[in-house]
Amino acid sequence: METTEDGRPANRRRTRTGCMTCRARKIKCDEAPAPATACRNCTRARLECIRADNGTASLHQAARSALAVRAQGSPQHLTQAGLQRRRTKRSCTTCRLSKKRCGGERPQCVRCTERDLGCIYDEGEPAVRPGQSQSAATLSASSASPQSSSHASTVAVTIAALDKALARELSESFFTEVAPLRCHNFLHRHMFLQELDALPHPPAQDMLVLSVCALATKTMAQGARYWDVGCTWAREAQRLVMGELEDVSVRRLMCLVLLYEHANRTNEQRLCFLLSGLASRFTQALSLNLEYDHDVLFTDESARITAVARESRRRLMWACYILDTMLACGLRDLQAIDTSTLRIQLPCDDRHFLYKRACVTATVPTDFLSPVEQRKDHNGDRPAIVTENQGLDAFLVRLYLIRDHVLQYINSNTDEQDPWRVVSLLADLDHWKEALTPELQLNADVMAVRQDEGTLAALVSLHVQYHQVNCLLYRCTIPSMLFPARVQTGLSVKASPDFLEESRKGWFGHACAMTAIFEVALQHQPAALADHAVAGSAYNAIIIKWLYLTNFVPVAERPAQLHVIRPLVEIDLQFLQTIQGYHATVRTTAAMAAKLVDEASQHIAQNPAVRLSETGNPHAYARLGRPLGRIAPDYRMNRLSAFARMRRDIPDRHAPDPGPASPEEGNVWAGEKDRLWMWTE
């Protein structure tokens, strides 16, 4: 074959009369002669066929010039060549802002599904909603429309778009939905809003305002409108907080707590773990576990801090304690805040806090949960709980203190030394229930008032947590369902069969009581569904019912009991499926619950005598013969706990002892070893 000096075939003729559109697309033009107005390629693609005035014009000159002029008026969905942008897959906004590879699956990509993230695809330019500020519209547009600029420019635009009007709107959502939950109301509402209005600089420059607004974007009131830019604000607030960590202050600690809750609602478990440790160290550095001084009633008006600041510090300390104990799940090697060091009052009621009035509530001594032998009377006669000036937050703190001791009891060898400690803990729970004030009872009148005040979800969460803690405690009577699973415990050996049977009925009864609360909450949605954390309790309630049916109900009585349990399980499942519409992080839990209900029903239908197990490894650690304290936390927690989920996401984690071999034959049904019949703490 003859070739030219540059190596090209000699018989190859270079196209000189093809359209510049085909040249820009880098495809061969058929060079349709006149009178045709367009070549077949442009006609088929419905594109404008641009031709040079001179057929021999260079593409580098004439085509580039023509296409550049054309691109000046082109919308963003067109390329520089004036062609419509076509991509087989488009990344969702969450993956794009996180700079992660997105599979483009609709309606939710795989990465967002696995991490329980809000998966949103940009479908076009959003319209301005009635009553929405111009900055809010700009902010939504910047996060919902394709960007041709860099990610850094996008971040700068979205952060700057947070003006005072939008910040105030988001702050109202925060105080309505987030503040009533788990002692997050350490910010005085009116003082914070006044401070926001008086800011001498844009709100985006204040780390506390950024943290509040970022967390408010994960509430039901805001939905998915600002989800992505809220994540951007959270990262910016985190950058501001971490930039000067040596500046240990209460304000910076408030940001850490709010950023923890934001990370929890976006399922960033590694960040939660690190932020909780940092917050615990801040409390120790600030000595928030102690009263500021002995002037609790603020009699000296010349004091350095006001009564509001004192109460705010107390609430902040209790919020840090709650998030720390929730993550540790009773394991001392993970818990950073020692309960015995807490020497501050319980939170006062909201009325005193809002009106800036100092008051005395009660302190929780270290022997609040003392063993039976330290009780005043073994028959249950004990001093009444002081409830003066205490509201929902104070009772929530008391309940978490009981929960902490319950988890320490079932996750340690205390059962061997004092098996009857369970009686004392049950008495503490009953005592807590009896001490509830009329304003904290779960009845129609109180729920109506709470709904008007915006604290109904907090009341529902309080009562659900009470039954959840009871279920945790009763679980110690079932050694095979503990973490790690055991053959026996001191209680199971020494307790009578009647006591064990009554305890298991109580286990089942509290699960049914949670279902009753879920049914009432569904009637008061969405106000009663603001707390996403109750989803884990609904999942537990489902599992308890199936385990009780298949392990402790005689086979002959199961058909009748199944007719009772199935409607209750359907209510739990309906609650999960409803709450996932308000909280994206609940989607995985709801999907797992639906799958477990279907498969459990199938196994029971196929074999009425089947025994479903929770862990699928009932005799594992009993064979090891090692104390529980020497077993890695990975095996002392279930796979749905925050710590276990955090560990799974770390590629360089140190692998713990993998444990013993598989369980004995016949203890579990096939395939259960890899299942998620697991308990969430």
Side-chain angles (χ1 to χ4, degrees):
M1 177 183 297
E2 297 183 3
T3 57
T4 61
E5 294 181 357
D6 57 358
R8 292 178 299 170
N11 57 352
R12 185 181 223 176
R13 183 173 59 88
R14 182 177 178 84
T15 301
R16 294 295 181 183
T17 58
C19 71
M20 289 182 288
T21 304
C22 288
R23 296 188 190 184
R25 297 174 65 191
K26 296 184 179 181
I27 62 175
K28 182 175 177 61
C29 183
D30 62 358
E31 304 179 21
T37 57
C39 67
R40 284 192 292 270
N41 291 336
C42 294
T43 302
R44 186 166 50 251
R46 298 181 181 180
L47 300 174
E48 181 181 357
C49 188
I50 302 176
R51 303 197 183 198
D53 297 333
N54 182 4
T56 61
S58 171
L59 176 65
H60 180 72
Q61 299 175 1
R64 185 182 292 265
S65 175
L67 295 178
V69 172
R70 175 177 171 172
Q72 290 179 356
S74 300
Q76 291 185 359
H77 66 275
L78 298 180
T79 63
Q80 184 179 2
L83 309 180
Q84 185 177 4
R85 297 187 185 273
R86 289 190 178 92
R87 294 183 180 179
T88 57
K89 292 182 180 180
R90 176 191 288 177
S91 299
C92 67
T93 309
T94 305
C95 294
R96 188 167 61 252
L97 289 179
S98 301
K99 295 184 178 181
K100 301 295 183 180
R101 185 177 183 86
C102 180
E105 294 83 5
R106 305 271 181 146
Q108 186 166 344
C109 70
V110 174
R111 179 179 176 273
C112 292
T113 302
E114 293 176 348
R115 291 164 174 77
D116 279 336
L117 301 177
C119 188
I120 303 175
Y121 284 91
D122 299 335
E123 301 297 341
E125 198 78 13
V128 179
R129 298 179 178 84
Q132 186 181 18
S133 64
Q134 184 61 36
S135 63
T138 305
L139 184 150
S140 299
S142 64
S143 64
S145 60
Q147 297 292 328
S148 59
S149 60
S150 64
H151 177 73
S153 300
T154 304
V155 172
V157 171
T158 55
I159 292 177
L162 180 62
D163 62 358
K164 290 187 179 181
L166 179 58
R168 189 178 183 89
E169 174 190 345
L170 294 172
S171 298
E172 294 288 352
S173 299
F174 166 81
F175 285 109
T176 302
E177 293 190 31
V178 180
L181 304 174
R182 292 178 291 283
C183 291
H184 283 118
N185 53 354
F186 44 76
L187 289 172
H188 192 278
R189 180 173 190 152
H190 305 297
M191 293 179 64
F192 178 83
L193 295 177
Q194 291 173 1
E195 180 183 347
L196 175 62
D197 295 335
L199 279 179
H201 50 74
Q205 298 180 13
D206 190 287
M207 59 182 177
L208 183 57
V209 176
L210 268 178
S211 302
V212 169
C213 293
L215 183 52
T217 60
K218 306 304 179 289
T219 59
M220 296 188 302
Q222 300 302 326
R225 286 197 298 169
Y226 309 130
W227 183 281
D228 300 315
V229 291
C231 295
T232 303
W233 293 338
R235 286 193 294 271
E236 176 64 14
Q238 180 181 335
R239 185 189 66 81
L240 294 175
V241 171
M242 301 297 182
E244 298 180 3
L245 277 180
E246 66 277 6
D247 178 20
V248 180
S249 63
V250 171
R251 190 178 185 87
R252 199 171 293 270
L253 176 57
M254 291 178 176
C255 295
L256 289 173
V257 175
L258 297 179
L259 290 174
Y260 174 96
E261 181 65 19
H262 181 275
N264 189 28
R265 294 184 177 223
T266 55
N267 204 27
E268 299 175 273
Q269 299 301 329
R270 282 179 290 180
L271 185 57
C272 286
F273 187 78
L274 298 177
L275 289 176
S276 66
L278 193 57
S280 300
R281 289 303 186 187
F282 264 61
T283 61
Q284 295 168 355
L286 295 168
S287 295
L288 294 186
N289 60 306
L290 305 174
E291 289 291 341
Y292 186 79
D293 54 31
H294 298 290
D295 189 15
V296 177
L297 291 176
F298 193 59
T299 56
D300 183 7
E301 297 184 358
S302 63
R304 293 180 56 187
I305 61 175
T306 63
V308 175
R310 295 167 188 264
E311 177 62 23
S312 178
R313 293 164 70 98
R314 296 188 193 106
R315 296 185 175 206
L316 181 60
M317 178 67 235
W318 288 121
C320 293
Y321 165 74
I322 289 176
L323 67 89
D324 182 58
T325 187
M326 285 180 63
L327 192 144
C329 295
L331 299 184
R332 281 303 188 192
D333 44 356
L334 294 181
Q335 192 161 341
I337 298 178
D338 187 0
T339 308
S340 62
T341 63
L342 299 176
R343 292 289 185 271
I344 56 175
Q345 287 190 163
L346 293 170
C348 68
D349 56 15
D350 291 337
R351 180 178 179 84
H352 281 84
F353 185 51
L354 291 177
Y355 282 94
K356 307 178 183 179
R357 294 170 53 190
C359 65
V360 177
T361 56
T363 56
V364 181
T366 55
D367 60 347
F368 172 68
L369 298 172
S370 57
V372 178
E373 59 270 13
Q374 296 181 10
R375 291 297 185 184
K376 180 179 179 181
D377 192 317
H378 292 275
N379 297 322
D381 184 14
R382 64 189 68 201
I385 295 178
V386 178
T387 61
E388 186 179 1
N389 302 327
Q390 299 175 34
L392 192 148
D393 288 335
F395 277 88
L396 182 66
V397 169
R398 288 183 179 273
L399 187 57
Y400 269 98
L401 287 166
I402 299 175
R403 175 186 178 272
D404 188 24
H405 284 254
V406 167
L407 288 172
Q408 290 176 28
Y409 171 69
I410 65 178
N411 290 333
S412 65
N413 292 327
T414 307
D415 178 74
E416 302 292 337
Q417 305 168 4
D418 182 16
W420 294 109
R421 176 73 184 279
V422 63
V423 178
S424 174
L425 294 171
L426 286 171
D428 285 323
L429 287 168
D430 292 341
H431 200 200
W432 180 93
K433 182 70 173 179
E434 295 169 358
L436 283 177
T437 59
E439 295 82 8
L440 296 177
Q441 301 294 333
L442 197 63
N443 54 52
D445 295 335
V446 174
M447 293 182 70
V449 174
R450 290 284 178 178
Q451 185 167 2
D452 293 338
E453 294 178 349
T455 58
L456 179 57
L459 181 66
V460 169
S461 180
L462 178 71
H463 285 266
V464 169
Q465 185 67 17
Y466 164 74
H467 294 291
Q468 169 78 349
V469 176
N470 275 276
C471 291
L472 285 170
L473 183 56
Y474 278 121
R475 196 178 68 180
C476 69
T477 64
I478 314 171
S480 63
M481 297 181 186
L482 294 173
F483 291 94
R486 300 161 225 175
V487 175
Q488 64 184 24
T489 60
L491 182 63
S492 66
V493 172
K494 297 182 180 180
S496 65
D498 292 339
F499 177 83
L500 295 178
E501 182 180 358
E502 289 299 320
S503 297
R504 290 158 187 172
K505 288 182 179 179
W507 186 51
F508 175 73
H510 282 284
C512 295
M514 283 194 284
T515 303
I517 297 177
F518 298 147
E519 187 175 16
V520 174
L522 288 172
Q523 300 171 5
H524 293 80
Q525 58 174 301
L529 307 180
D531 188 6
H532 66 99
V534 297
S537 299
Y539 184 83
N540 289 339
I542 293 176
I543 289 188
I544 291 172
K545 295 180 181 67
W546 288 125
L547 294 177
Y548 180 79
L549 175 67
T550 59
N551 288 271
F552 306 114
V553 176
V555 178
E557 301 176 9
R558 287 187 186 182
Q561 191 72 15
L562 183 60
H563 288 293
V564 177
I565 290 178
R566 191 179 296 276
L568 300 178
V569 171
E570 292 298 329
I571 294 175
D572 297 332
L573 193 57
Q574 180 186 358
F575 178 81
L576 281 173
Q577 293 172 345
T578 303
I579 200 173
Q580 72 170 340
Y582 300 105
H583 304 282
T585 54
V586 182
R587 292 173 183 170
T588 299
T589 305
M592 287 196 315
K595 183 178 179 180
L596 291 177
V597 168
D598 292 339
E599 295 190 2
S601 301
Q602 293 176 8
H603 281 87
I604 293 174
Q606 295 171 3
N607 180 15
V610 68
R611 294 188 62 184
L612 299 181
S613 172
E614 190 176 22
T615 63
N617 204 356
H619 299 296
Y621 290 94
R623 296 207 244 359
L624 281 180
R626 65 178 65 174
L628 292 177
R630 296 181 58 186
I631 300 175
D634 303 67
Y635 299 108
R636 296 166 66 190
M637 289 185 176
N638 62 81
R639 289 183 289 170
L640 297 183
S641 64
F643 178 79
R645 285 182 290 167
M646 180 274 298
R647 286 273 293 164
R648 285 200 301 271
D649 293 336
I650 299 179
D652 294 335
R653 67 183 183 276
H654 176 71
D657 184 356
S662 58
E664 298 175 2
E665 293 292 335
N667 288 332
V668 294
W669 44 270
E672 185 185 355
K673 181 181 178 182
D674 298 326
R675 296 195 43 76
L676 282 178
W677 281 96
M678 307 299 287
W679 184 283
T680 55
E681 303 291 1

